[in-house]
Amino acid sequence: MTPQTTLDPITGSLVDERFLADIPRRRERPAWVLNESLALVGAWEPLFHRRRLGTTHVDDETFYAYEHSEQFVKEILAIGANLLVTAYDKNYYVDEEEFVLKQQLAGHCRKHGLRLGVYIRADNIYSEVFVERLKTDDLLARQADGRVPRYGSQEWRKNVCFHKPGNIEAFKKSIRRAIAELGVDMLHLDGFGVGGTESHGACRCDACRQDFTVFLQRRWGGDPKSCKRRFGHTCLEGIEPPGHLILPAIPTGRVTDPVWQEWVSFRCTWMARVARIISEYVYELNPDVAILGNSGLGVRENCALLEGYDAATYCQYVDMMGNEDAFQAHMGPEGQVIQRARQHKLVEPTGAFLWNYMQHGPSERNLRRQLSHAAAFNRGRTACMGFSFACYDDFRTNGGVKRKFADWQKQNWAHFQQLGPVTDVAVWRESRAMAFAEPITYATAMRLEQLLIEDRVPFHIAQGEWPADTRVLALPNLAFLDDARCARLAQFVEQGGSLLVIGQTSSLDGWGRRRSDFGLRAILPPEVRMAGLAFDQHIAGANDPIKPGRETVGDKDHWPCRQVGKGRVIYIPELVDPATQPSLFNADHTYNFGLDLTNWRVPEKADEVRKALAWLLDEGPSMRVKSERGVLANYYRQSGTGRFYCHLVNLLEKAVPEIVFDMDVPAGSQVASVRVISPDGVDAERHRWEVAGTHLLVELARLDIYSVIIIQTT
Ligand SMILES: [Zn+2]
């Protein structure tokens, strides 16, 4: 039987670019974002909102006046920050008395050279102050049951739907005012998403439904034959958005239902469309205005399914991506190595930077660790420097430590510019395959990445293209791979690349239809066989559809390998036992976004994975660091200078002695010099180095928290 081809341009990518084609893409990142540090202080809750929330102070007016004073601006500059994000528009409401203060603040910022951003949150409307408008304008989102979703317990903040044109117009109007009347440098667009969070009141309003029908008709209406193969029939106008009554309201396993797949793609496409509309509008008004977009980056969560965005696309339209997770760099309660290496690596390929909440706390060492981790993984952008005290953690706490770090960065700023990754291993979180993947795929990627992080292997997370220097590609149970992607992978191997293939990778085509044999058959070891399916029909009742078959994996301990031309392939039947995974849902069937550390650990068979990687990498990684567990390394090459970097960050509570770094000097290059710089003082810079043949060895006497090894090659 010949496999049926699905080399379909329509289903080739998660975001259907044809729905964006009417908005020319002209915007480039503002030069200042690329050239300056991004060290940001936040004061972004408007006074009216603090009061409405019931979280304000007796002296709130005095405190709020301070947040708009010259003293405030000077104090921010004094800790080494260069950017303030002030409150402005919360859910379309701007308090005019507060706005007068903003104008004064903008003057102080200009006078003292502090960049100013404003906070805009546009995915809800402050319904209490828009009674009349809501009587006449159709703006609100609707859940499948017709109710209006709200922002958690703040029930007066009702969700709006960007499929309704009035919301985009109001959003633009607010942006225009900030740029024209305040002359801002940055827009912090919080909650910058479309359609809400699935299982937490995602939109199913009439406007969404109509646009979804148009989406389906444009993609499938012109080709009845493909349409019938896709949906079983051609009645597109009868297809409703999925997720009505059944709980949980989203697929809990693989997304194989074609309507769910189309819905995810529709959501990601509309998010991209709205992001492009807004970013192009900002560019038109002032090309130097930067955008911080927050739609909540996730590494364990399927953001395409839950939030309706594709990170690789989204980050093209924002200069900083917001992240609100709680995985700040530290050793966890059970010795877990907690960090945000993945989050940074997901954003980095687009050229955007990451903004995190950082809980600095009172500990000086913790503060230095957070700043160091951000500098090492975010190409020098420390991002979160604290908040006005009447909002959250006071930015002035340990201000001297922050200033010292910022000054050190300023001195060494040339080393944080034009940095690109060093990629021995790329974990392929292919956008579309991940969007339709079951939770175990995320667990598999997480565990494998954790090993690469803990072992300090130069690695990268690719969502579309992988970097040109990739030596090993890891495919973390990517069941959905169309023929085109399989062909690209086969070509990669034929040209000398190596593959770590895990689990059900390529067992389905791009639509999720089960193949008769793996899409990667031509390069897999011959003894690898497709898993059988086991069905549990006995649990099917009249209202309980038969569940999809479970794959029965045979010998999980045998990992076949194969040389293919110049490339190598290893197949791992199963990396993570599904039985180890917790439920992803709360008791009320909503998705559980709570802190979960299950997969912040290396795979059970870590040593076997290490052996497999060693074989795939032939002579091992191109850069290595020998030190204690809990020391992280991130490697860069600098464009045009011949410099390589090894950033070392110590998560442990004490300094570690004797760190050994070694690298293979790239063919045709020579090491001219080695330097070590550190914000922790000269003691953390002491080192010796030598080159033997093509091998560079650097011995660092002591790592306190952060040291950077700079290798100049010629
Ligand atoms: Zn809607």
Side-chain angles (χ1 to χ4, degrees), residues 528-550:
V528 177
R529 294 272 172 267
M530 288 279 281
L533 290 182
F535 291 86
D536 297 323
Q537 279 132 321
H538 59 281
I539 59 162
N543 295 309
D544 186 8
I546 294 175
K547 292 194 168 47
R550 280 179 296 106

Side-chain angles (χ1 to χ4, degrees), residues 73-255:
V73 169
K74 286 181 181 169
E75 285 176 358
I76 291 171
L77 289 165
I79 65 152
N82 70 334
L83 175 63
L84 162 67
V85 174
T86 189
Y88 164 56
D89 171 342
K90 189 88 174 179
N91 302 146
Y92 301 95
Y93 186 56
V94 177
D95 181 290
E96 292 305 324
E97 284 180 25
E98 293 185 31
F99 192 77
V100 175
L101 292 172
K102 302 296 159 195
Q103 290 170 313
Q104 290 168 14
L105 176 66
H108 299 318
C109 288
R110 270 193 294 276
K111 179 178 165 194
H112 293 283
L114 178 66
R115 293 204 177 268
L116 180 65
V118 286
Y119 175 101
I120 301 177
R121 176 132 199 172
D123 60 335
N124 334 99
I125 186 163
Y126 225 77
S127 65
E128 290 170 348
V129 297
F130 289 110
V131 175
E132 289 309 311
R133 186 156 177 239
L134 286 169
K135 278 183 193 162
T136 55
D137 295 3
D138 179 20
L139 304 170
L140 298 177
R142 300 270 171 194
Q143 298 174 181
D145 63 8
R147 291 190 296 175
V148 176
R150 328 279 168 120
Y151 183 76
S153 60
Q154 297 169 28
E155 293 188 308
W156 65 95
R157 297 175 58 192
K158 298 181 178 173
N159 290 12
V160 299
C161 177
F162 281 124
H163 290 270
K164 300 183 175 180
N167 292 311
I168 295 273
E169 289 318 308
F171 194 3
K172 282 182 168 177
K173 197 173 152 195
S174 181
I175 287 171
R176 187 166 63 237
R177 187 177 186 197
I179 293 176
E181 295 182 34
L182 297 175
V184 296
D185 300 294
M186 177 181 264
L187 301 167
H188 176 174
L189 307 180
D190 194 21
F192 188 33
V194 176
T197 304
E198 293 291 351
S199 87
H200 289 266
C203 197
R204 296 289 189 275
C205 76
D206 287 344
C208 281
R209 296 166 74 94
Q210 278 160 21
D211 283 343
F212 184 51
T213 304
V214 170
F215 183 78
L216 293 177
Q217 283 170 335
R218 183 157 174 199
R219 281 158 67 85
W220 301 100
D223 183 356
K225 208 173 156 196
S226 293
C227 183
K228 192 166 181 183
R229 288 191 64 216
R230 180 80 165 132
F231 302 106
H233 61 75
T234 56
C235 305
L236 293 173
E237 69 279 15
I239 295 178
E240 295 181 273
H244 285 268
L245 291 173
I246 189 170
L247 295 172
I250 52 168
T252 56
R254 265 180 209 157
V255 185

Side-chain angles (χ1 to χ4, degrees), residues 175-411:
I175 287 171
R176 187 166 63 237
R177 187 177 186 197
I179 293 176
E181 295 182 34
L182 297 175
V184 296
D185 300 294
M186 177 181 264
L187 301 167
H188 176 174
L189 307 180
D190 194 21
F192 188 33
V194 176
T197 304
E198 293 291 351
S199 87
H200 289 266
C203 197
R204 296 289 189 275
C205 76
D206 287 344
C208 281
R209 296 166 74 94
Q210 278 160 21
D211 283 343
F212 184 51
T213 304
V214 170
F215 183 78
L216 293 177
Q217 283 170 335
R218 183 157 174 199
R219 281 158 67 85
W220 301 100
D223 183 356
K225 208 173 156 196
S226 293
C227 183
K228 192 166 181 183
R229 288 191 64 216
R230 180 80 165 132
F231 302 106
H233 61 75
T234 56
C235 305
L236 293 173
E237 69 279 15
I239 295 178
E240 295 181 273
H244 285 268
L245 291 173
I246 189 170
L247 295 172
I250 52 168
T252 56
R254 265 180 209 157
V255 185
T256 49
D257 177 335
V259 174
W260 259 109
Q261 290 180 357
E262 291 291 312
W263 179 250
V264 172
S265 183
F266 166 73
R267 297 233 304 153
C268 292
T269 298
W270 264 86
M271 178 68 245
R273 181 174 169 81
V274 170
R276 191 184 286 193
I277 288 171
I278 294 301
S279 73
E280 287 299 322
Y281 183 68
V282 171
Y283 181 77
E284 239 170 65
L285 294 170
N286 184 347
D288 291 328
V289 172
I291 300 173
L292 193 173
N294 183 12
S295 66
L297 187 68
V299 291
R300 167 196 79 145
E301 294 84 4
N302 181 345
C303 292
L305 170 65
L306 290 162
E307 304 288 349
Y309 76 87
D310 169 44
T313 307
Y314 187 96
C315 290
Q316 293 171 12
Y317 299 111
V318 300
D319 305 305
M320 291 186 89
M321 172 65 160
N323 174 46
E324 300 190 354
D325 70 33
F327 302 118
Q328 66 169 345
H330 71 291
M331 299 301 284
E334 290 164 23
Q336 302 100 321
V337 178
I338 313 289
Q339 29 58 42
R340 294 195 177 104
R342 297 176 186 81
Q343 291 86 326
H344 287 289
K345 287 174 189 290
L346 277 168
V347 169
E348 184 193 319
T350 63
F353 299 99
L354 194 69
W355 180 88
N356 300 290
Y357 272 106
M358 281 198 251
Q359 287 80 35
H360 295 142
S363 155
E364 229 180 80
R365 189 170 180 90
N366 177 57
L367 168 63
R368 286 165 55 212
R369 183 165 59 222
Q370 302 314 323
L371 294 172
S372 299
H373 176 271
F377 286 90
N378 206 25
R379 291 160 287 151
R381 277 65 179 184
T382 45
C384 178
M385 300 292 270
F387 302 87
S388 68
F389 70 87
C391 262
Y392 308 118
D393 293 334
D394 191 345
F395 70 97
R396 297 170 299 188
T397 306
N398 287 322
V401 177
K402 293 174 186 170
R403 176 59 186 256
K404 194 176 156 225
F405 195 90
D407 284 348
W408 174 80
Q409 278 203 295
K410 206 178 239 175
Q411 263 171 30

Side-chain angles (χ1 to χ4, degrees), residues 418-714:
Q418 305 286 332
L419 301 178
V422 175
T423 310
D424 283 346
V425 180
V427 177
W428 205 28
R429 286 187 177 227
E430 200 282 321
S431 289
R432 198 165 173 281
M434 295 301 285
F436 301 153
E438 61 271 49
I440 201 71
T441 294
Y442 286 83
T444 302
M446 295 280 295
R447 294 279 183 114
L448 180 65
E449 289 155 359
Q450 188 71 21
L451 182 131
L452 297 168
I453 292 164
E454 292 192 17
D455 285 10
R456 300 175 284 262
V457 175
F459 90 104
H460 183 83
I461 299 177
Q463 295 161 84
E465 299 295 318
W466 49 82
D469 63 336
T470 302
R471 297 166 65 200
V472 173
L473 259 178
L475 312 177
N477 196 48
L478 300 179
F480 295 79
L481 285 181
D482 64 14
D483 293 352
R485 286 171 175 81
C486 290
R488 274 175 64 199
L489 292 167
Q491 194 186 26
F492 173 75
V493 174
E494 277 150 22
Q495 291 170 351
S498 292
L499 285 189
L500 184 66
V501 185
I502 303 173
Q504 301 307 311
T505 294
S506 84
S507 61
L508 311 178
D509 75 355
W511 291 2
R513 297 179 301 183
R514 193 170 154 81
R515 295 177 188 273
S516 300
D517 202 348
F518 290 104
L520 293 176
R521 174 79 278 160
I523 50 172
L524 283 175
E527 63 263 52
V528 177
R529 294 272 172 267
M530 288 279 281
L533 290 182
F535 291 86
D536 297 323
Q537 279 132 321
H538 59 281
I539 59 162
N543 295 309
D544 186 8
I546 294 175
K547 292 194 168 47
R550 280 179 296 106
E551 273 120 0
T552 52
V553 181
D555 184 358
K556 296 175 188 174
D557 297 324
H558 178 53
W559 296 4
C561 56
R562 179 183 171 192
Q563 183 91 34
V564 186
K566 284 181 284 176
R568 293 176 173 187
V569 178
I570 289 187
Y571 178 77
I572 302 180
E574 181 183 278
L575 191 70
V576 182
D577 179 355
T580 61
Q581 299 298 303
S583 165
L584 296 174
F585 294 89
N586 297 310
D588 66 354
H589 304 293
T590 53
Y591 190 89
N592 181 356
F593 286 98
L595 190 64
D596 171 60
L597 297 176
T598 307
N599 295 310
W600 294 80
R601 60 182 75 222
V602 300
E604 303 298 335
K605 292 183 180 147
D607 285 337
E608 288 89 332
V609 177
R610 289 185 178 108
K611 269 184 221 149
L613 284 169
W615 184 70
L616 292 170
L617 284 166
D618 200 1
E619 285 154 26
S622 60
M623 296 185 181
R624 295 157 289 256
V625 170
K626 271 191 215 126
S627 185
E628 288 183 38
R629 183 170 172 274
V631 170
L632 307 179
N634 198 29
Y635 312 91
Y636 294 108
R637 70 180 77 231
Q638 191 172 45
S639 161
T641 62
R643 283 191 203 124
F644 290 88
Y645 295 89
C646 170
H647 289 245
L648 295 164
V649 182
N650 177 14
L651 304 192
L652 303 167
E653 290 302 323
K654 55 175 187 9
V656 291
E658 292 158 30
I659 298 93
V660 180
F661 165 78
D662 71 282
M663 74 178 267
D664 302 326
V665 182
S669 309
Q670 287 190 323
V671 176
S673 65
V674 172
R675 266 184 76 198
V676 176
I677 56 173
S678 170
D680 305 331
V682 287
D683 226 26
E685 296 176 346
R686 281 193 292 123
H687 69 283
R688 55 171 290 276
W689 64 277
E690 63 179 47
V691 177
T694 59
H695 197 72
L696 166 69
L697 186 78
V698 183
E699 287 172 359
L700 191 64
R702 179 176 179 272
L703 172 68
D704 187 1
I705 293 178
Y706 186 29
S707 292
V708 182
I709 303 172
I710 306 169
I711 303 102
Q712 178 72 59
T713 65
T714 51

